[in-house]
């Protein structure tokens, strides 16, 4: 972690620190835990409803420390958070509503060097957000993802808490409050949970990875407080849980090194969201079925092994002057499709597939993904994304029956670049290009790649394949097609 830096004198303050802005303190104990100090002049914090709040969190364990720069309306690009290392969280920046550009450079790099990551973030009035530096689960490249922070306090006698999974490489996590509600199941890296309301008191947080890592941490969730539990890891994979107060808790708290001379007559108002500027819906992360899918009966499939082929990330920054919008961090909850929006069919011209109707699939009593009862139908996992929306849209279909081929009989003949079209109930058509066709034993299906979070539209097609077991009358493998929006 970077060493603490002295607050600069007036002569050395950056142009950013001369503007009418404030950093809202997270508290000395939090700064001591995460090891981040912001080298800016700090005034008493405000929570003016005409402003928005934004902070930075570094959640990429394989990425070195970064210098974070911000540019906004009438403000040149300025260093605001130097040397932010993994598991570091900056205080909140409070600024007038508007569009801001965030740039990340390796710590100590020249201010005019190409940024590793550069995105734009809309900061609506009365909102609070965290811009989290993570490794993209689809490209593997570092990116900034935005998640929305609670701006209203919890009810009296209670607290609100959520979890952000920042521990890459440890597998999906199950997290619960001992004696209380579960906070997450199968929480993948790079995703967050909704807030839950619990009694305000000291809690033991139990974290368990499907790969064997565990952690038990005691945290205090204060009365009316709102807290994010950031889960990180040590280089050896040991899990770490850090409790960081959110905007609803820290708004109105003086910044470090400032002491109000007289107590305020009334409590400082917390930000009130502007109803005219609704925030985007975060991508959905579907609940994860157990095991593979049983989508074949007759032993007619012939394996076609293809290596993983993808349009991999070729650099860390874009040559475009326009900063792309920061994607929303996926939310680990089965969100309802807007107004019943759903896929209505599927066409794959290269293999002659034309499904004119789809059936709905859910998780069955065994915890496994259902398969269509009609061997000629394609099924859509309704807890996954609507095709064309951010997130993985998951479909399954049979490869064969005991009498002959079924709807996905030719799935293993797809090649990288082949087109998949999925019409939707709103009249739009989502189009995808195949990245790869891969075989996996059913008991080692890579659930993180199939169901894990994605900030862009993704498509997954599942069927059976590989050797046929005459004893169980079942295929040993699943065939999975990975595709991305075209």
């Amino acid at each position: 972690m970077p060493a603490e830096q002295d607050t600069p004198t007036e002569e050395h303050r950056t142009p950013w620190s001369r503007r009418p802005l404030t950093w809202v303190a997270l508290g000395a104990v939090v700064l001591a835990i995460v090891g981040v100090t912001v080298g800016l002049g700090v005034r008493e914090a405000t929570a003016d409803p005409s402003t928005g709040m934004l902070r930075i969190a570094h959640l990429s364990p394989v990425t070195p420390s970064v210098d974070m720069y911000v540019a906004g309306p009438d403000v040149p690009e300025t260093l605001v958070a130097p040397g932010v290392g993994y598991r570091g969280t900056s205080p909140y920046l409070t600024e007038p509503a508007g569009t801001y550009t965030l740039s990340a450079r390796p710590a100590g790099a020249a201010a005019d060097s190409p940024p590793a990551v550069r995105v734009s973030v809309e900061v609506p009035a009365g909102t609070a957000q965290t811009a989290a530096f993570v490794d993209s689960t689809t490209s593997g490249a570092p990116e900034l993802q935005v998640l929305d922070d609670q701006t209203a306090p919890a009810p009296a006698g209670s607290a609100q808490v959520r979890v952000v999974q920042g521990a890459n490489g440890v597998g999906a996590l199950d997290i619960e409050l001992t004696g209380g509600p579960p906070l997450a199941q199968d929480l993948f890296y790079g995703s967050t949970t909704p807030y839950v309301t619990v009694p305000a008191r000291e809690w033991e947080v139990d974290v368990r990875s499907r790969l064997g890592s565990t952690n038990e941490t005691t945290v205090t969730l204060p009365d009316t407080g709102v807290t994010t539990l950031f889960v990180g890891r040590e280089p050896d994979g040991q899990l770490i849980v850090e409790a960081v107060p959110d905007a609803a808790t820290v708004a109105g708290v003086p910044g470090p090194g400032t002491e109000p001379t007289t107590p305020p007559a009334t409590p400082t108002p917390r930000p009130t969201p502007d109803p005219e500027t609704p925030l985007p819906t975060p991508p959905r992360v579907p609940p994860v079925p157990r095991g593979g899918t049983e989508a074949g009966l007759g032993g007619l499939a012939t394996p076609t092994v293809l290596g993983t082929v993808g349009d991999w990330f070729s650099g860390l920054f874009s040559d475009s002057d326009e900063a792309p919008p920061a994607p929303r961090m996926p939310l680990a909850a089965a969100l309802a499709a807007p107004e019943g929006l759903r896929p209505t069919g599927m066409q794959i011209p290269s293999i002659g597939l034309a499904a004119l109707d789809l059936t709905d699939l859910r998780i069955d009593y065994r915890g496994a993904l259902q398969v269509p009862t009609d061997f000629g139908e394609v099924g859509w996992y309704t807890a996954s994304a609507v095709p064309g929306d951010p997130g993985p849209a998951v479909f399954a279909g049979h490869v064969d029956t005991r009498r002959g081929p079924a709807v996905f009989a030719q799935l293993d003949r797809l090649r990288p670049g082949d087109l998949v079209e999925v019409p939707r109930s709103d009249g739009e058509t989502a189009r995808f290009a195949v990245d790869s066709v891969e075989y996996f034993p059913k008991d080692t299906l890579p659930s993180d790649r199939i169901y894990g979070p994605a900030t862009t539209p993704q498509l997954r097609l599942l069927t059976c394949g590989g050797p046929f077991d005459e004893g169980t009358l079942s295929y040993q493998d699943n065939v999975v097609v990975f595709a991305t929006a075209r």
Side-chain angles (χ1 to χ4, degrees), residues 26-225:
L26 295 181
V29 64
V30 175
L31 293 179
I33 291 174
V34 298
V36 175
T37 302
V38 179
L40 292 174
V42 185
R43 302 183 296 102
E44 184 176 342
T46 63
D48 184 343
S50 67
T51 66
M53 302 170 70
L54 182 68
R55 68 180 173 186
I56 307 296
H58 191 320
L59 304 179
S60 171
V62 299
T63 301
S65 298
V66 295
D67 292 339
M68 295 301 307
Y69 292 77
V70 174
D74 304 320
V75 182
E77 186 176 75
T78 307
L79 176 65
V80 295
V84 181
Y86 176 53
R87 299 186 356 245
T89 306
S90 78
Y92 280 102
L93 170 69
T94 301
E95 261 293 88
T99 302
Y100 293 84
T101 299
L102 304 182
S103 300
R105 294 179 172 86
D112 59 354
S113 62
V117 176
R118 185 168 178 264
V119 296
S120 63
V121 175
E122 187 68 28
V123 180
T127 64
Q129 300 175 82
T130 296
F133 194 72
V134 300
D135 297 321
S136 168
T137 55
T138 50
S139 71
E143 68 178 8
L144 278 165
Q145 297 178 4
V146 176
L147 60 155
D148 303 320
D149 301 345
Q150 179 65 276
T151 59
S158 65
Q160 290 186 319
V161 62
R162 67 174 174 185
V163 181
V164 173
Q165 218 283 48
N168 200 358
V170 301
L173 302 179
D174 292 340
I175 305 166
E176 66 177 14
L177 300 176
T178 303
L183 299 181
Q185 290 185 324
D186 290 318
L187 185 65
F188 290 106
Y189 170 74
S191 61
T192 182
T193 67
Y195 288 100
V196 297
T197 301
V198 298
R201 64 177 177 86
E202 190 174 85
W203 288 91
E204 185 177 86
V205 183
D206 187 6
V207 184
R208 298 184 180 277
S209 165
R210 293 301 168 89
L211 298 183
S213 299
T214 62
N215 177 279
E216 292 183 357
T217 300
T218 300
V219 299
T220 299
L221 301 179
D223 188 19
T224 72

Side-chain angles (χ1 to χ4, degrees), residues 44 260 262-269:
E44 184 176 342
T262 58
T266 57
T268 304

Side-chain angles (χ1 to χ4, degrees), residues 2 18 24 78 128 244 275 418 440:
R18 295 194 188 108
V24 179
T78 307
V244 179
D418 283 352
F440 303 99

